[in-house]
């Protein structure tokens, strides 16, 4: 075929210029090529030579990056220009179709214009990023030339009578307008920037964010193309594949997205609302108005994008209808729009562009909505925090506002509002989508469409009902889950006691019982989930079935062609989506309304705020009946704080907690506040700090009140390192820091911690004891350089030695010698002589104020009372103990920290076990593991389903999708045969019967698959939890000592929750989307085998996109979760430490910290959102390519291979499905990968080896069984050459120990810390590894006894008292073997009978978690009573009286000697005098027995170690 620019028909009309060159169409078209050639010629050298050489420099953080005026408009106009040019090219090709020769002038100029338009935008982008506007002059010339040449062509069309009926005329007119507008944009850039034709060009700096290299979130700054396709994320996602993403990688938030910016925006909106309606109350309506005012614009933009996307979504069904209907090519010289659109290839290209545009708009809508929601969340969290900062202490203490409520407000309610903003565009987009969908169906199918649509709409309320039930089931599951976790936590915390008492089975049953209730709730959850899945799959099938059967049989003359059928199927799929979303949107709206109500309540609650000015109330002035206290002999003149006639209360309406307060606190001196418990000492400190509500009187400071170093009675710690807790935002001074550490005796504790003072000490310091937390809190106050220091009972949790050291080295040496004003609240009256000024309090008023001498003279009785108490405390000080409370604390800390690194290992368990590299530094190996899917964990999960359920799951899924394909294939055959047999009357009955059977089978299979998935999930979760619980409860004690409790608890909480609720849903979604994509590709390949050639490159692209995305998504998901924890922790820390923060005047610093935490969480969320959009845009573009290729190959096959139009429709419908489900497949794959981590971690714990509970004697003769049943009947113990260790790879803790204890003997064991005393007691219970020697009790080697038998026949009391939540009866006798009289007897022996009698319910009185409603001493006594209840022949006390006062201990020792006169008692001594009455004493050192004899014999020996201990204890 000849090829010529103007055609080659053998005539010269194409080259005829008799009427002037401009009247020759071919010449005008040639003239139109000139501007495009000019632009390409001018710009290519600049682009490839100029920027090519420095392309490496033009990177993302270009310091000159900014947008020129009209930036977005230019990009939008260019996109429209490109689309119009594609239409012009297509119009030229179609209109040239009939002639024998090819007329290049019809489409070549448009092709050149297309290239020039792309070049213009690339050129512009490079100039813009380089901020070099002078080069834009080339574009100014180009737009001018293009506008002129196109205008000439348009004018000539008008002259020759070509009008609107011809498409070419319309396209030319559009191009004139577009080129004109682009020229106007270019002129505007000159006008604003003045880069040419002006003497002084305007200097413009890039945005402030881009000058900061820390900002890496570039969505607001990039050009429109990069914004729409998230192109700027490419570099980030590639980097994620090379190294893990952390907070440093994602950088800082842009200024406009920071919490502070959005908080200011929201605040201004609230203020505007207040000013508009000053009189009306600020209800939840005003909140919504303020939110709309602050964040309404982006929400409107998101809704617009969403509506446009939904409208473009209808292009799919319409184009399918057109393509199937018009598989023919037209060819005329000038064609109309209608003729142009009846070309199947044109429709295929238009469908491709519509899909690209629809997906871009949809993702833009999602992104804008989520970004707005995240900004809103940050603003509301900041607003809540500011409100918290103003709360009065009484709001918290009186229970008006709990820390839990505030955390709920932050974690749940703000997220509900954020999700509402995300789903909000659906509210107005869904009605539009439903109305348009129903109208189009009616247009295609007539009245039968309304019947099908009615089925979908009628079932919508059922979906809503199911969604509501699902929500209720989830709530109920959560309640049982919390109860189970509480029990599991208690079980793990008391695991040592459970093993020693052989009570594992009791607590195992208790946890299992709660788990059964949880499983019942989970079954409801699974049932409603499967119904929901079933309805979503079955409703479209049912609607299609009813519609087509009605359409075929009732409307005989109706059009039942493939074009109508497959367009209708696509419309039904579109219609189901909004109705499925409806339930989620309605639920989210309801939750958002509730959350806004909670927010409103919190904002508008008349909560007291600190330092509120209240009018004096006269009646309080006469409230007190106490006479004014006598004037002191010595009154300090130079005061720091003075309160005159002060009345203070916690609640505005309540009586005053402090009355008639007149005090002066001297400047630069030590003031002590003393008095009985509850007399108002702490309240007085808080009143001075302005934390109480002042009724009347004045609080005056000598100078302006600055920062006050305050250590509260209940120590408050930050979730930070030890050093950060002590320095507390102050600059680090090494010398002072060391002095403070020494004064608070913290060095030995710091040495135990794995990272020294850089160890994170957990939320609220939970991994430290009370005394350690107290000393860190005091250290913080000592370290600060403030002039005033308030210490509220700093000695309460410290033993006598530490208290003395702290008083001398810390308070006297560091504070008083520095002339700082110190106010010390204390019960330790022995320190009163050190006080410069004393304030004595009683019942909320000041009893006496003055120096000690003043009080001695004026209040003799009070002074004598103090003197008696001082002497008693001094005697206590003299009783030096071998092992003080602090040593016990440090021992416990060492145990807690024993293998702290195990927690870190646990977090990094994600590497596949089999291929784990020995070389930790092998980065490539680590990266390879990160990119791998955890198929092994997936296999373990599925294999746990069992041999019957797994095949059912797989077969039902495969069968369902096969039937789905069969339904659509049947429809294709039915419609194809219907149109081919149109001439005679077509019989629809056989087809409709087969179609109906297949549809019914499809609906049944939908039900089967949805139930199979959820059933599998239930079976797996039940099996895994039961196995985990069995393994953990039977694990050796060593496992619990080396594995952090939090790590084990995480397996039972977060990981079990993932397996319970998330994996089944993800598995269903993943299998559905994968099988849909596979079946769609199979159908398209069957219809047009040519498609397979194009499938290969698309599949490769998909593989690499998902590979890179999964790694980045997992890292960002973990980062999002990990940045949320510090934020919530900061809220709860602030609530608990409000008083301290305000005393230090650190509100601004803590607000700044909050902003940092919020921004960190928000930037992680934004990057995760952008990564999701990055994936979805790419996957949906690939889906659009699949549609285009399928359409083109189908049309070609139809034209040349006589493919039936029914199969063309089938292929295109499935191609559209691919575009919908591709990104779901990858997203679910990424989610599945993260969730399978839970399965892997649980399987890691299932490898734990259990203790050997079997014994040789359990399989023995009748005689052996008799022995076991009466064991131990005498209580004789023989220890032969015993060596034990905690683990096979550790050193022995007992070495070759030999001893003989006769029945009924009382044995005392003593020795310093680490001598092996406790290990000695644990050896009786086989809690440690006995690798040599043996223990024989009553002639039986305990190694041969079953563990359960051995442990249940011995009694032990541990040094740490452990109580469980429940009743007192349960704590004493969980096995329910004893009568009430036996329990009361045990309580009487333990000196607790009167305490329990006084409680409501007696033995059935409630014990709270950890026994918190009893004192430490009482808890220890309950543990003693528990041991007495067992009435065993052998009784072991492991430092059991450490928490009991001297008097009670003496009574107990006597009781033990009498009540256990006939039993063997082994006492591990805390105070040596307690074992002086023992029959035998064993002194231990480093695992060896040093001395072993009667106490009186050892005391007579001068060089005896035992004698030296007793001497020290006197």
């Amino acid at each position: 075929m000849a090829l010529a620019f103007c055609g080659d028909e053998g005539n010269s009309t194409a080259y005829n210029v008799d009427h002037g060159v401009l009247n020759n169409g071919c010449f005008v078209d040639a003239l139109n090529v000139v501007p495009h050639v000019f632009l390409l010629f001018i710009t290519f050298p600049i682009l490839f030579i100029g920027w090519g050489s420095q392309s490496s420099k033009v990177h993302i953080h270009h310091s000159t990056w900014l947008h020129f005026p009209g930036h977005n408009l230019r990009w939008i106009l260019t996109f429209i220009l490109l689309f119009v040019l594609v239409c012009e090219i297509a119009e030229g090709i179609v209109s040239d179709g009939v002639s024998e020769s090819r007329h290049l002038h019809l489409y070549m100029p448009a092709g050149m214009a297309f290239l020039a338009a792309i070049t213009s935008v690339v050129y512009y982008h490079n100039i813009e990023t380089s901020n070099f506007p002078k080069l834009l002059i080339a574009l100014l010339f180009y737009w001018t030339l293009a506008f002129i040449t196109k205008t000439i062509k348009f004018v000539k069309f008008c002259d020759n009578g070509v009008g609107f009926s011809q498409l070419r005329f319309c396209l030319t007119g559009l191009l004139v307008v577009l080129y004109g507008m682009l020229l106007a944009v270019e002129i505007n850039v000159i006008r604003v920037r003045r880069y040419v034709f002006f003497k002084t060009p305007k200097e413009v700096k890039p945005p402030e964010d881009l000058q900061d290299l820390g900002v890496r979130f570039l969505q607001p700054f990039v050009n429109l193309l990069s914004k729409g396709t998230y192109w700027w994320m490419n570099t980030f996602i590639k980097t994620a594949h090379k190294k893990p993403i952390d907070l440093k990688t994602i950088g800082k938030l842009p200024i406009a997205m920071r919490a502070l910016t959005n908080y200011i925006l929201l605040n201004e909106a609230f203020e505007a609302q207040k000013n508009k309606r000053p009189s009306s109350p600020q209800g939840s309506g005003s909140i919504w108005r303020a939110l709309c005012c602050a964040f309404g614009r982006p929400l409107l933009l998101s809704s617009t994008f969403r509506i446009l996307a939904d409208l473009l979504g209808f292009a799919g069904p319409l184009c399918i209808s057109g393509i199937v209907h018009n598989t023919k090519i037209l060819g005329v010289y000038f064609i109309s729009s209608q003729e142009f659109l009846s070309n199947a290839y044109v429709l295929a290209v238009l469908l491709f562009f519509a899909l690209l545009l629809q997906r871009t708009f949809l993702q833009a809508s999602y992104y804008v909505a989520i970004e707005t929601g995240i900004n809103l969340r940050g603003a509301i969290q900041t607003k809540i925090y500011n409100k918290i900062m103003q709360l009065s202490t009484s709001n918290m203490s009186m229970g008006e506002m709990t820390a839990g409520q505030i955390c709920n407000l932050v974690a749940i309610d703000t997220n509900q509002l954020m999700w509402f903003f995300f789903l909000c565009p659906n509210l107005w987009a869904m009605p539009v989508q439903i109305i348009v969908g129903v109208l189009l169906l009616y247009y295609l199918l007539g009245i039968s469409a309304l019947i099908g649509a009615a089925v979908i709409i009628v079932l919508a309320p059922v979906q809503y009902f199911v969604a509501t039930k699902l929500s209720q089931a989830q709530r109920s599951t959560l309640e049982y889950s919390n109860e189970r976790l509480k029990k599991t936590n208690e079980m793990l915390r008391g695991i040592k006691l459970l093993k020693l008492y052989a009570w594992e089975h009791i607590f195992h049953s208790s946890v299992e019982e709660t788990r059964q209730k949880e499983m019942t709730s989970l079954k409801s959850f699974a049932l409603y989930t499967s119904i929901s899945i079933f309805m979503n799959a079955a409703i479209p099938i049912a609607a299609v079935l009813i519609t087509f059967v009605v359409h075929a049989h009732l409307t005989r003359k109706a059009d039942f062609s493939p074009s109508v059928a497959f367009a209708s199927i696509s419309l039904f799929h579109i219609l189901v989506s909004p109705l499925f979303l409806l339930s989620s949107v309605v639920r989210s709206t309801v939750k958002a309304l509730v959350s806004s109500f909670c927010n409103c309540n919190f904002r508008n609650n008349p909560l007291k705020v600190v330092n509120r000015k209240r009018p004096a109330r006269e009646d309080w002035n006469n409230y007190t009946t106490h006479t004014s206290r006598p004037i002191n002999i010595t009154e300090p003149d130079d005061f720091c704080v003075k309160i005159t006639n002060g009345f203070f209360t916690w609640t505005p309406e309540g009586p005053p907690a402090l009355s008639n307060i007149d005090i002066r606190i001297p400047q630069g001196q030590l003031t002590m506040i003393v008095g009985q418990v509850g007399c108002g000492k702490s309240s007085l400190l808080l009143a001075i700090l302005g934390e109480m509500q002042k009724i009347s009187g004045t609080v005056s400071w000598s100078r302006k009140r600055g920062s006050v170093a305050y250590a509260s009675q209940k120590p408050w710690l930050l979730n930070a390192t030890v050093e950060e807790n002590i320095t507390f935002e102050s600059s680090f001074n090494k010398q002072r820091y060391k002095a403070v550490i020494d004064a608070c005796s913290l060095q030995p504790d710091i040495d135990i911690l794995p990272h020294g003072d850089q160890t994170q000490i957990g939320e609220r310091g939970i991994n430290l004891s009370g005394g350690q937390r107290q000393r860190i809190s005091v250290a913080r106050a000592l370290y600060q350089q403030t002039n005033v220091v308030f210490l509220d009972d700093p000695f309460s949790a410290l033993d006598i030695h530490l208290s003395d050291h702290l008083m001398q080295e810390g308070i006297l040496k560091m504070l008083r010698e520095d002339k700082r004003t110190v106010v010390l609240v204390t019960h330790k009256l022995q320190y009163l002589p050190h006080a410069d000024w004393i304030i004595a309090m009683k019942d909320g008023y000041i009893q006496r104020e003055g120096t000690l001498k003043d009080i001695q003279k004026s209040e003799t009785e009070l002074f004598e009372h103090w003197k008696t108490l001082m002497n008693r405390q001094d005697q206590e000080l003299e009783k030096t103990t071998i092992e003080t409370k602090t040593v016990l604390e440090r021992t416990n800390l060492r145990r807690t920290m024993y293998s702290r690194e195990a927690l870190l290992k646990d977090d990094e368990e994600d590497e596949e076990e089999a291929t784990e590299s020995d070389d930790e530094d092998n980065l490539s190996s680590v990266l390879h593991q990160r990119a791998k899917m955890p198929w092994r964990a997936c296999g373990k999960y599925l294999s746990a389903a069992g041999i019957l359920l797994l095949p059912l799951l797989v077969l039902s899924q495969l069968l369902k999708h096969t039937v789905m394909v069969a339904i659509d294939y049947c429809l294709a055959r039915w419609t194809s045969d219907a149109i081919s047999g149109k001439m005679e009357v077509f019989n629809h009955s056989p087809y409709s019967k087969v179609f109906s059977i297949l549809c019914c089978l499809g609906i049944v299979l939908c039900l089967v698959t949805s139930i199979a998935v959820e059933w599998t999930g239930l079976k797996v979760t039940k099996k895994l939890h039961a196995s985990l619980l069995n393994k953990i409860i039977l694990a050796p004690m060593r496992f619990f000592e080396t594995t952090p409790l939090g790590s084990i608890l995480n397996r039972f909480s977060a990981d079990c929750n993932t397996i319970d609720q998330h994996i089944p849903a993800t598995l269903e979604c993943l299998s559905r989307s994968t099988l849909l994509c596979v079946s769609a590709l199979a159908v398209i390949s069957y219809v047009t085998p040519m498609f397979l050639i194009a499938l290969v490159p698309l599949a490769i692209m998909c593989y690499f996109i998902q590979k890179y995305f999964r790694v980045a998504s997992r890292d960002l998901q973990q980062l999002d979760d990990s940045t949320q924890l510090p934020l919530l922790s900061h809220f709860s820390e602030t609530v608990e430490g409000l008083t301290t923060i305000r005393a230090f005047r650190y509100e601004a610093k803590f607000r700044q910290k909050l902003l940092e935490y919020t921004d960190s969480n928000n930037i992680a969320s934004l990057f995760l959102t952008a990564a999701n959009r990055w994936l979805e845009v790419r996957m949906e573009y690939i889906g659009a390519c699949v549609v285009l290729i399928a359409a083109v190959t189908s049309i070609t096959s139809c034209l040349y291979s006589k493919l039936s139009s029914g199969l063309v429709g089938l292929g295109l419908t499935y191609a559209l499905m691919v575009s919908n489900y591709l990104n779901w497949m990858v997203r679910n794959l990424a989610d599945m990968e993260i969730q399978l981590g839970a399965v892997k971690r649980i399987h890691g714990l299932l490898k734990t080896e259990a203790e050997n509970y079997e014994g040789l004697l359990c399989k023995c003769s009748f005689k052996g069984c008799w022995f076991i049943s009466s064991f131990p009947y005498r209580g004789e113990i023989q220890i032969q050459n015993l060596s034990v260790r905690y683990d096979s790879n550790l050193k022995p803790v007992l070495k070759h120990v030999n001893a003989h204890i006769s029945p009924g003997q009382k044995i005392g064991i003593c020795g310093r810390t680490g001598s092996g005393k406790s290990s000695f007691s644990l050896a009786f219970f086989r809690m440690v590894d006995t690798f040599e020697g043996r223990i024989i009790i009553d002639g039986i080697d305990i190694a041969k006894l079953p563990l359960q038998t051995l442990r249940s026949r011995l009694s032990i009391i541990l040094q740490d008292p452990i109580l469980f939540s429940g009743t007192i009866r349960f704590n004493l006798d969980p096995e329910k073997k004893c009568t009430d009289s036996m329990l009361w007897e045990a309580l009487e022996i333990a000196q607790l009978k009167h305490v329990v009698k006084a409680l409501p319910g007696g033995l059935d009185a409630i014990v709270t978690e950890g026994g918190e409603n009893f004192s430490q001493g009482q808890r220890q006594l309950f543990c003693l009573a528990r041991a007495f209840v067992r009435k065993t022949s052998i009784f072991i006390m492991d430092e059991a009286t450490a928490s009991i006062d001297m008097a009670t201990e003496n009574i107990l020792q006597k009781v033990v000697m009498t009540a256990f006169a006939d039993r063997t008692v082994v006492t591990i001594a805390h105070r040596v005098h307690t074992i002086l009455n023992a029959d035998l004493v064993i002194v231990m050192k480093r695992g060896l027995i040093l001395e072993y004899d009667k106490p009186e014999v050892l005391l007579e020996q001068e060089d005896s170690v035992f004698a030296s201990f007793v001497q020290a204890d006197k």
Side-chain angles (χ1 to χ4, degrees), residues 92 485 702:
L485 284 174
S702 59

Side-chain angles (χ1 to χ4, degrees), residues 501 503 1355 1357 1368-1369 1371-1387 1389-1390 1403 1422-1432 1435 1460 1463:
Y501 276 66
W503 284 347
S1355 281
I1357 309 167
I1368 290 172
R1369 185 191 302 277
N1371 272 282
L1372 297 179
D1373 176 34
E1375 293 174 292
K1376 299 175 184 171
K1377 287 182 177 177
C1378 301
T1379 62
D1380 280 16
S1381 59
M1382 290 163 79
L1383 297 179
W1384 282 117
E1385 184 193 348
L1387 287 169
I1389 291 170
L1403 288 171
F1422 274 116
C1423 293
L1424 280 164
R1426 182 193 284 149
F1428 297 150
V1429 164
R1430 285 183 86 124
K1431 289 203 165 79
T1432 54
F1435 182 61
F1460 298 109
R1463 302 189 204 179

Side-chain angles (χ1 to χ4, degrees), residues 5-7 14-15 24-31 105:
F5 186 75
C6 296
Y15 302 98
N24 182 294
C26 188
F27 177 79
V28 173
D29 286 336
L31 191 64
H105 71 96

